[in-house]
Amino acid sequence: MKFRIVPLALAFALLISLFPASGEAYVASYSLNVPAYAKVGLYYGSGDLVYANLLNGSENSVGHGYKFGYFDAARNFFSVADTDATAITMVKDRNLYITRDSNNRYVDTATSDFMGTLGCYHIRLPYSYASYAEARDVVALYTGSFILFENWTYSVMVGNYFSASEAVADAAARGITGTAYSGSDRTVTVVETGTSHILFEFDCGSALSLGIMPKPDYEGQKPLTWFKGYKYYGGFQYSRLSGNNITVVNVVAIEDYIMGVLPYEMSVSWPLEALKAQAVCARTYAAQNVGKHGAYGFDICATTDCQVYRGQNVTGDSITQAVAETAGQYVTYGAAIAAVYYHSADGGATENSENVFANPLPHLKGVIDPYESTVKTGHDLWTFTYTPQQMKERLNAKGYAVGDILSVTPVYTDVGNIFSLAFKDSNGKTFIFKQRTAATILSWAAENKEIFSQRFTLVGNTTVNAVVPAPSSGPVYIAGAEDTELTSANGLYAIGGSGIAEPLAGSAITVITSGGMQTLNLAAIAEGPRDSGIPQTGTSFTITGSGWGHNVGMSQHGARAMALLGYSYEDIIRFYFTGVELATNV
Ligand SMILES: [Zn+2]
């Protein structure tokens, strides 16, 4: 049976409604209890640092000098001291060697090229002071002296030495009254970069961590600070957790954080409404994950584990505009911050959260996506085969003691994504993998058998499928281009009742034919049978799929496609997240 579609000629009734992009987004207001600043972990755990260089006031950054202090529980900064030095380094208060190469490194053990030392023993003067001003007056009297802020009091220290006896000897030689002192395993020392010139020390035990806030430049411009090759807005926090090396955290206003996420989660060249949808999702993720990495003293990390964030190196008008036009807006469900997920491409349908991860969430429901296929995703279609022997090898390699594979039974979800795979083996055992594991268990990148998403079929070559025919199954051709088989509506136009030609999107369209109204399910035709629960057998199993990611929440390529079709960021968010609102915090 052949159907013929005559583009731009016949009257089409569309399954998908082509509603025009709405204007102003409707934004509600709720008490969402979101912090104004995000704490973003830059270096922590096994990546913690012996030394952390900051550069300020150089030709490409903005600001002049730094304030030293701490961030309170509400992430507000309180200053206790300051410096006009523009290049500073925070080190752990231990005996260190300075390698005066271009990286100004401070290291635990001597290298052949070390040019100086930084000792952790000092001469402690006998008085302490209640104010920074008093302590600073004393510092002015002694060469090589500096202030230690220790449990809310200011003390004055002189010099740096590799041992207590060296400190005592130098005190005697200089006629200074004081005792030898070395910091605790929580002390952080601030030096002028590349030197042993100590500017400040901070030790409030585990109660508070050193906070550093760059000062604005002399014109009052917002500071922008270099740290390890990236420019950051906001301040930094330095903690020595359990006495280890330094954990570095960027404490940054939420909107500045989103500016540093957006170009790494979506291409700056994508349409504005897609970038706006991504900005709202990124902001919502940050609000939803406050304290996710609380054990390390911050909320979210700067990698794909949370969201990629690299400060302000990549900027652009579209980024600035997308963040500004959605400023303060979050995705909410039932007047609370919604858990948002996103992925690169859904391949035709998103999925219920409980069918991929653990818990059902009312706003994370699978939807058939008629938009994404109107753009190229880079993962539009992938297919490869497995022999039963290769499946056995793959499962064995992953630690599952399967025998010879007799059959594989795929179970699909309501929207046609994979839910589970059951492998029946020659020992009479059945191994069942569900949800995200069902999609990853057979993935084998080294053999070019890579499963990129939840949306794929598995068909054995000798299976007798009780085929449930897709609606109007059979090849579909365009009249006048009979050698082109149609597998999506991509690039087709239809004249609607209003007389306006509109692009046809997606994989399911209804046409009026000589036989009456018919539904063409182009995606089902393209993918072949999708029979749930039927054991697949054979000498070869073909896996065919589309999309890239876990299929839960927003498809980024789908957002791009919707934006190109004229939909707004609010339309995009409401399409991918069921029953949600946009809201600001009050
Ligand atoms: Zn993380």
Side-chain angles (χ1 to χ4, degrees):
M1 179 163 53
K2 270 193 178 185
F3 286 97
R4 286 169 181 274
I5 300 176
V6 183
L8 289 169
L10 289 179
F12 285 74
L14 304 183
L15 266 185
I16 42 167
S17 58
L18 294 166
F19 54 92
S22 55
E24 243 0 46
Y26 172 73
V27 181
S29 293
Y30 298 115
S31 178
L32 299 173
N33 192 29
V34 291
Y37 297 90
K39 294 179 112 177
V40 188
L42 303 180
Y43 289 86
Y44 67 101
S46 59
D48 60 9
L49 300 176
V50 172
Y51 69 101
N53 302 342
L54 282 187
L55 187 62
N56 202 343
S58 76
E59 56 182 312
N60 289 316
S61 64
V62 177
H64 189 84
Y66 304 88
K67 292 176 180 172
F68 304 134
Y70 60 91
F71 293 92
D72 72 0
R75 291 109 195 272
N76 296 307
F77 180 77
F78 291 88
S79 176
V80 302
D82 75 327
T83 182
D84 288 331
T86 56
I88 63 173
T89 298
M90 278 49 68
V91 299
K92 63 177 177 177
D93 193 20
R94 281 286 178 274
N95 286 336
L96 297 172
Y97 296 87
I98 311 169
T99 67
R100 234 168 262 169
D101 56 22
S102 57
N103 293 322
N104 295 305
R105 293 181 296 129
Y106 291 77
V107 295
D108 285 308
T109 51
T111 58
S112 56
D113 66 338
F114 83 86
M115 300 287 286
T117 58
L118 178 65
C120 70
Y121 293 87
H122 317 292
I123 304 164
R124 181 180 195 131
L125 300 189
Y127 306 105
S128 62
Y129 308 92
S131 79
Y132 178 50
E134 286 174 83
R136 207 170 41 187
D137 288 344
V138 178
V139 162
L141 304 176
Y142 296 90
T143 302
S145 64
F146 61 91
I147 290 169
L148 164 70
F149 184 76
E150 183 187 31
N151 299 324
W152 307 99
T153 61
Y154 296 89
S155 302
V156 175
M157 303 280 159
V158 181
N160 73 87
Y161 312 94
F162 260 36
S163 69
S165 56
E166 285 175 52
V168 169
D170 199 46
R174 291 175 65 177
I176 296 172
T177 302
T179 52
Y181 172 84
S182 72
S184 79
D185 64 4
R186 298 278 182 171
T187 310
V188 175
T189 303
V190 183
V191 295
E192 238 180 311
T193 296
T195 76
S196 59
H197 177 204
I198 298 176
L199 297 166
F200 183 66
E201 279 191 353
F202 186 96
D203 182 3
C204 290
S206 57
L208 286 180
S209 296
L210 169 65
I212 288 190
M213 187 62 80
K215 300 182 203 173
D217 73 355
Y218 295 121
E219 284 80 47
Q221 277 198 78
K222 187 161 130 180
L224 197 53
T225 308
W226 283 106
F227 173 56
K228 286 198 174 284
Y230 297 101
K231 288 181 283 187
Y232 294 93
Y233 281 131
F236 298 87
Q237 176 182 287
Y238 304 87
S239 320
R240 293 184 60 198
L241 302 171
S242 308
N244 293 328
N245 292 337
I246 298 174
T247 293
V248 183
V249 175
N250 183 205
V251 186
V252 57
I254 291 288
E255 300 304 323
D256 289 337
Y257 165 73
I258 302 303
M259 295 270 284
V261 168
L262 203 46
Y264 297 100
E265 293 290 352
M266 193 175 265
S267 168
V268 299
S269 67
W270 283 19
L272 180 65
E273 294 301 316
L275 288 166
K276 286 164 74 174
Q278 181 68 57
V280 174
C281 284
R283 189 181 293 112
T284 306
Y285 182 92
Q288 221 261 326
N289 288 279
V290 171
K292 176 181 173 186
H293 291 286
Y296 290 105
F298 59 85
D299 299 324
I300 44 188
C301 69
T303 71
T304 52
D305 173 67
C306 289
Q307 299 184 124
V308 177
Y309 165 71
R310 291 188 186 141
Q312 310 297 325
N313 286 35
V314 175
T315 57
D317 291 346
S318 62
I319 300 292
T320 309
Q321 193 178 349
V323 175
E325 290 185 3
T326 63
Q329 295 178 12
Y330 298 87
V331 182
T332 58
Y333 185 91
I337 293 287
V340 290
Y341 291 82
Y342 54 86
H343 54 277
S344 179
D346 59 41
T350 67
E351 191 47 76
N352 292 5
S353 55
E354 73 273 21
N355 288 341
V356 179
F357 305 123
N359 301 318
L361 285 169
H363 64 288
L364 296 175
K365 293 296 179 201
V367 293
I368 298 283
D369 185 342
Y371 309 108
E372 191 191 270
S373 61
T374 66
V375 298
K376 289 279 177 209
T377 69
H379 291 80
D380 303 288
L381 185 71
W382 29 269
T383 186
F384 48 83
T385 59
Y386 258 95
T387 65
Q389 180 60 27
Q390 288 170 328
M391 280 184 179
K392 180 184 176 182
E393 279 176 36
R394 191 63 189 142
L395 291 170
N396 287 167
K398 290 196 170 182
Y400 300 98
V402 298
D404 294 335
I405 302 292
L406 302 182
S407 71
V408 188
T409 304
V411 172
Y412 300 103
T413 67
D414 290 347
V415 291
N417 295 320
I418 202 75
F419 175 72
S420 65
L421 289 174
F423 298 83
K424 194 174 174 188
D425 78 357
S426 53
N427 302 322
K429 287 184 178 170
T430 302
F431 295 76
I432 301 174
F433 301 93
K434 288 180 180 172
Q435 300 161 310
R436 189 66 185 141
T437 312
T440 54
I441 191 69
L442 283 178
S443 208
W444 199 354
E447 293 290 316
N448 290 320
K449 300 179 194 301
E450 200 159 1
I451 294 181
F452 290 101
S453 78
Q454 301 288 127
R455 192 159 185 79
F456 65 89
T457 56
L458 184 149
V459 179
N461 65 341
T462 65
T463 312
V464 179
N465 282 297
V467 174
V468 179
S472 306
S473 65
V476 177
Y477 299 92
I478 299 174
E482 269 78 3
D483 45 4
T484 306
E485 187 177 339
L486 199 56
T487 56
S488 90
N490 198 359
L492 289 184
Y493 289 78
I495 299 172
S498 61
I500 296 170
E502 297 268 23
L504 280 178
S507 55
I509 57 177
T510 299
V511 298
I512 298 169
T513 72
S514 56
M517 186 119 52
Q518 303 264 2
T519 298
L520 300 178
N521 190 333
L522 300 174
I525 293 164
E527 289 164 7
R530 189 164 282 218
D531 300 335
S532 209
I534 295 179
Q536 305 292 307
T537 56
T539 54
S540 175
F541 295 87
T542 300
I543 289 173
T544 306
S546 53
W548 190 15
H550 52 56
N551 290 68
V552 178
M554 185 181 79
S555 157
Q556 293 172 308
H557 280 283
R560 174 166 67 104
M562 287 186 75
L564 289 171
L565 290 168
Y567 293 96
S568 72
Y569 77 101
E570 184 183 16
D571 296 332
I572 294 168
I573 287 170
R574 287 178 180 277
F575 176 71
Y576 287 109
F577 300 105
T578 305
V580 299
E581 290 181 283
L582 294 175
T584 55
N585 181 44
V586 288

